[in-house]
Amino acid sequence: GAGVSQSPSNKVTEKGKDVELRCDPISGHTALYWYRQSLGQGLEFLIYFQGNSAPDKSGLPSDRFSAERTGGSVSTLTIQRTQQEDSAVYLCASSALTRGTDTQYFGPGTRLTVL
Amino acid sequence: AQSVTQLGSHVSVSEGALVLLRCNYSSSVPPYLFWYVQYPNQGLQLLLKYTSAATLVKGINGFEAEFKKSETSFHLTKPSAHMSDAAEYFCAVSPTGRRALTFGSGTRLQVQP
């Protein structure tokens, strides 16, 4: 079946511009995660959505970052007034919540370059 | 806070040799532990996970890992390396009470012919 998809695969933007990154999770998965992978910081958790519950935003690095999940499916990560340190690969993952721990399935990522 | 430490940012082995990638965790309670692999320009793929059912966990592509509580370790091994194993490997922990993963810094595996 289809896996997690992300778009665009690459995004180049100028400092100060806003960007939107999209994630389509696996159908039926109720949990969705955003992570950031950068050279200096490794893999970092950003935000987590679970069903209709309030999202866990504890990993967002600043108020320039926000995310929403519409209809319990597609999610958009928005970065306002981008800075050069925002350059990274943004990874999305989804999982089917089960008892115990759930396996997270990752998309291919969006490579963001801020000039 | 729970965390994982991966010893060795780069590991090089010969084709056919044993692969050993080290991961140590810090946790006051048994955590959930994972190994993911990332091939160039691709997302993360789950190799295996520990969920307290068994201390020796077998994963895909011939990899396995052993949970050792006394050593707080979850090292990844493969008896015989293949050229296709060249990739970056990440150990991760699922902190108690939160489902988001905390990743180690990664180990890049190079396989020499």
Side-chain angles (χ1 to χ4, degrees):
Chain A
V4 177
S5 61
Q6 294 185 244
S7 61
S9 55
N10 281 283
K11 176 71 176 179
V12 179
T13 190
E14 294 179 348
K15 177 181 173 181
K17 296 285 181 66
D18 297 352
V19 296
E20 287 189 350
L21 312 179
R22 177 187 168 103
C23 172
D24 280 274
I26 293 173
S27 178
H29 280 189
T30 56
L32 187 147
Y33 310 77
W34 283 98
Y35 295 87
R36 178 170 71 173
Q37 185 174 24
S38 57
L39 281 175
Q41 303 297 324
L43 269 160
E44 306 171 277
F45 162 71
L46 295 178
I47 187 169
Y48 159 55
F49 296 90
Q50 177 184 335
N52 296 320
S53 302
D56 176 355
K57 303 179 181 180
S58 60
L60 294 179
S62 79
D63 58 8
R64 297 186 295 104
F65 288 72
S66 63
E68 63 177 17
R69 189 178 185 191
T70 54
S73 181
V74 172
S75 177
T76 302
L77 177 70
T78 301
I79 308 173
Q80 296 178 308
R81 304 181 302 282
T82 52
Q83 304 294 312
Q84 288 183 332
E85 60 262 29
D86 299 334
S87 295
V89 176
Y90 290 82
L91 294 168
C92 176
S94 71
S95 68
L97 289 180
T98 58
R99 292 180 61 186
T101 187
D102 45 337
T103 297
Q104 295 182 27
Y105 296 87
F106 283 79
T110 293
R111 182 176 298 277
L112 175 66
T113 303
V114 182
L115 301 177
Chain B
Q2 296 180 351
S3 64
V4 290
T5 302
Q6 292 185 242
L7 298 177
S9 59
H10 289 82
V11 170
S12 181
V13 300
S14 299
E15 192 173 18
L18 171 72
V19 175
L20 171 60
L21 305 182
R22 299 178 186 274
C23 173
N24 288 87
Y25 68 91
S26 64
S27 174
S28 58
V29 296
Y32 296 134
L33 292 160
F34 306 80
W35 275 99
Y36 280 86
V37 60
Q38 186 177 36
Y39 297 102
N41 300 314
Q42 294 187 27
L44 297 167
Q45 181 182 5
L46 180 70
L47 276 176
L48 49 82
K49 64 181 180 181
Y50 168 75
T51 58
S52 76
T55 57
L56 182 62
V57 182
K58 293 187 183 299
I60 62 172
N61 301 338
F63 284 93
E64 63 182 36
E66 186 172 8
F67 174 76
K68 293 187 176 180
K69 184 178 179 181
S70 60
E71 299 177 8
T72 61
S73 68
F74 191 57
H75 301 332
L76 182 71
T77 60
K78 182 174 180 178
S80 177
H82 192 274
M83 296 296 289
S84 61
D85 295 327
E88 188 152 21
Y89 292 79
F90 293 91
C91 184
V93 63
S94 179
T96 304
R98 197 175 89 171
R99 291 182 177 269
L101 297 172
T102 298
F103 287 90
S105 54
T107 297
R108 185 168 298 279
L109 176 66
Q110 189 176 24
V111 182
Q112 305 284 1

